[in-house]
Amino acid sequence: MGPATVTAPITCTTAALSSVETDLLVVPWFQDESPTSVPGLDAATGGEAARALASGEFAARLYDLFLTPMTDRSWCARRVALVGAGRRDEFGIDTARRLAAAGGLAARQRRVERSAFVLRGDAANDLPGLAQAMAEGLTLSEFNAGAYKTDDPPMPPVSAWTIAITGGGADPIARIEQAVQRGRLLGECTNMARDLSNEPGNRLTPREFARRCDELATSAGVSVQLLDERQIEELGMGLLLGVARGSSEPPRLMVFRHNPPGATDGPVLGLVGKGITFDTGGISIKQADGMERMKDDMAGGAAVACAMRAIAMLNAPIRVIGVVPTTENMPGGRAIKPGDILKSASGKTVEVINTDAEGRLILGDALWYVRQLGATHLVDVATLTGACVVALGKIASGLFGTPSGWVEQVRRVADRAGDRVWPMPLHEDYREQLKSDIADLTKTGGRPAGSITAAMFLKEFTGGLPWAHMDVAGTAWADEAKPYLPKGPSGVGVRTLAELALTSEEWTR
């Protein structure tokens, strides 16, 4: 099956809104805003916009939607949709991204062929930043979760998007168009990760996952190396091989390299993603209820692979190495058992307590390996612990790491990219929960502080380098649809990892 998500071109215009050729003109609208704020719009709707505002039918709360036909035939748009933008003083890049996604989804739900989204700028706005975020949002709205449906086809794609720019600002249109194309590419790569995370486990086996990631990265100019089980064994990766033992599917280790010209010296960003293509829990098997969701346990690996594509296509100025270990966690006859001892590639020994906490094992070997390849700054992304969902719900990813300056840098980039994170503690005292009587450490530290002790386990394999860990167990999948995000995979982490490389001058000075 080919790509599930179809993309359409995005163009920019500074022409008068009345002359924008589109089937649906989407206009963000702030609370307590006058009906005359957008010149001529209320009259073009025959006064319907003013009526809806006056009656309270449309209150402009975030994501409120009001649609009405254009009665003035001098306007080229057939219909207008006012989308609530909330309070003007709270409007920012993340709100713009979400509003664009909500407007794009509304257009698709109404089978609109062409849609234009209005960027209402002024001299105080970061127009390129807003334009990039809106392009990302429109692109994210194109994601198609129903690739396997045959009798209930999903919403058709919009064939053409326009970002219509109004208001002040001295930014030339060429700079705004460049920002739109950057946002478009980041959105496309996020959707690629969502497509991968949405694939069922019988289709996306470790070998197939590696093949697809190889294809999408190589086509962007990324150097890719795929290591098979024999090469993994030669590296001594006993943690990865231990998890893979229960499956008839062999593991793979993906290695991605971005080496821009002139970047032979200096920091090297190392990205690591968890690639469990299906997680049954192994011998410590999970409950049947909800286990089908475990097809997305490779979301972190998909984020790394797709971020590497964006990094190469946007010509990030820093060297980047991505490592994604991928396997299934199955309860086969050769599967690891509670009480087993595994030896990592770094030499550390690990006592297996619960075979369901397999992600940290494969990440341990991968973090060691990315260091051997020359990485100086590390970030890993993983759907790692249910404990993080208990702590932060489905709103924010947990962020762990050392030192605090590096963690704060990742936090700033993640918030700007729309991947909300919340810093969590890593006090050394938590390591006490990982003590083993017969090995260097246990795999799990029990229920208390479960997400923290999982991060402490990973820290053992970072070699003291600057390192950040994103636990995306709660944010990689939306259980309920929102106006800006349909039910299903979110693609969390892609934009954060890409923007971290693209803005490396902020942390390499």
Side-chain angles (χ1 to χ4, degrees):
M1 177 166 292
T5 298
V6 178
T7 59
I10 300 179
T11 57
C12 296
T13 181
T14 55
L17 292 184
S18 60
S19 64
V20 176
E21 293 275 358
T22 188
D23 298 311
L24 181 66
L25 184 69
V26 183
V27 184
W29 204 273
F30 298 103
Q31 288 179 326
D32 301 323
E33 193 169 9
S34 165
T36 60
S37 295
V38 178
L41 180 64
D42 180 51
T45 66
E48 279 298 296
R51 183 201 60 76
L53 287 163
S55 67
E57 178 183 349
F58 176 66
R61 291 181 294 267
L62 270 178
Y63 315 120
D64 280 355
L65 194 68
F66 174 73
L67 277 83
T68 188
M70 289 294 200
T71 58
D72 184 346
R73 295 307 173 192
S74 69
W75 281 60
C76 296
R78 294 174 54 197
R79 288 185 291 172
V80 64
L82 305 185
V83 59
R87 291 167 52 93
R88 186 185 291 272
D89 59 358
E90 295 176 352
F91 181 76
I93 283 179
D94 192 43
T95 306
R97 183 186 294 108
R98 292 185 172 199
L99 283 178
L105 286 168
R108 289 186 60 203
Q109 289 163 355
R110 288 157 179 80
R111 299 325 197 242
V112 169
E113 186 172 346
R114 300 169 304 163
S115 181
F117 195 90
V118 179
L119 195 173
R120 299 178 61 188
D122 58 46
N125 288 150
D126 172 15
L127 284 187
L130 291 174
Q132 175 181 326
M134 287 179 174
E136 290 173 10
L138 293 175
T139 306
L140 295 175
S141 76
E142 295 177 319
F143 173 67
N144 171 25
Y148 289 95
K149 291 186 176 183
T150 58
D151 58 356
D152 182 21
M155 297 178 291
V158 171
S159 64
W161 303 104
T162 301
I163 294 180
I165 304 158
T166 68
D171 290 288
I173 186 65
R175 184 162 176 251
I176 295 174
E177 288 175 336
Q178 185 179 28
V180 165
Q181 293 312 308
R182 174 166 163 157
R184 181 56 156 164
L185 181 60
L186 290 169
E188 286 176 347
C189 290
T190 302
N191 282 343
M192 288 180 178
R194 296 166 82 185
D195 283 335
L196 287 168
S197 296
N198 203 40
E199 283 287 81
N202 64 324
R203 295 295 186 110
L204 198 73
T205 61
R207 283 177 291 184
E208 176 63 10
F209 183 31
R211 186 196 67 78
R212 294 197 199 183
C213 290
D214 181 11
E215 185 178 85
L216 67 87
T218 301
S219 63
V222 178
S223 172
V224 181
Q225 183 183 15
L226 301 181
L227 280 61
D228 62 22
E229 61 271 30
R230 292 178 296 278
Q231 294 166 301
I232 294 170
E233 186 173 10
E234 289 172 2
L235 289 170
M237 292 187 169
L239 304 185
L240 173 54
L241 289 173
V243 175
R245 266 171 34 192
S247 175
S248 60
E249 288 286 340
R252 290 291 182 265
L253 186 72
M254 311 176 215
V255 181
F256 308 94
R257 291 181 176 87
H258 169 66
N259 293 304
T264 55
D265 298 319
V268 178
L269 180 61
L271 309 178
V272 174
K274 175 184 172 184
I276 299 292
T277 58
F278 196 83
D279 180 19
T280 66
I283 295 296
S284 307
I285 198 162
K286 295 177 180 290
Q287 293 183 348
D289 185 27
M291 194 193 290
E292 72 281 354
R293 266 277 321 283
M294 289 301 100
K295 68 179 185 177
D296 82 329
D297 213 17
M298 34 58 65
V304 168
C306 295
M308 291 298 301
R309 176 182 173 87
I311 286 166
M313 295 187 74
L314 291 170
N315 302 310
I318 190 173
R319 284 188 294 158
V320 186
I321 302 170
V323 174
V324 177
T326 178
T327 183
E328 295 177 335
N329 185 26
M330 300 290 284
R334 298 181 61 250
I336 55 174
K337 307 171 292 297
D340 284 358
I341 303 293
L342 301 178
K343 186 176 182 180
S344 69
S346 71
K348 291 182 184 291
T349 55
V350 178
E351 180 185 6
V352 175
I353 302 299
N354 184 324
T355 66
D356 188 26
E358 83 298 328
R360 66 199 71 184
L361 291 178
I362 70 172
L363 290 173
D365 274 343
L367 285 165
W368 170 84
Y369 191 53
V370 80
R371 286 166 41 214
Q372 309 313 302
L373 296 178
T376 62
H377 293 69
L378 310 178
V379 182
D380 75 77
V381 183
T383 48
L384 205 65
T385 66
C388 196
V389 185
V390 173
L392 298 176
K394 311 283 287 185
I395 305 301
S397 303
L399 181 65
F400 308 77
T402 57
S404 58
W406 176 240
V407 176
E408 176 59 18
Q409 176 63 31
V410 175
R411 186 202 65 77
R412 285 196 299 266
V413 171
D415 285 350
R416 194 163 62 227
D419 291 331
R420 289 180 178 170
V421 297
W422 190 257
M424 302 283 279
L426 270 188
H427 303 307
E428 195 61 28
D429 296 0
Y430 287 112
R431 195 186 184 284
E432 293 294 313
Q433 294 176 230
L434 297 176
K435 282 188 174 180
S436 168
D437 293 332
I438 60 173
D440 293 325
L441 64 161
T442 65
K443 187 156 74 76
T444 57
R447 290 178 61 85
S451 63
I452 297 173
T453 55
M456 290 297 294
F457 182 94
L458 297 181
K459 183 184 176 184
E460 293 289 318
F461 301 91
T462 62
L465 294 179
W467 156 73
H469 158 59
M470 291 176 61
D471 190 334
V472 298
T475 54
W477 190 276
D479 290 324
E480 298 178 357
K482 298 179 180 179
Y484 54 87
L485 180 66
K487 186 177 179 180
S490 68
V492 64
V494 175
R495 299 189 303 277
T496 294
L497 298 181
E499 291 283 11
L500 195 61
L502 291 165
T503 58
S504 59
E505 71 279 356
E506 294 181 6
W507 51 271
T508 56
R509 286 193 286 259

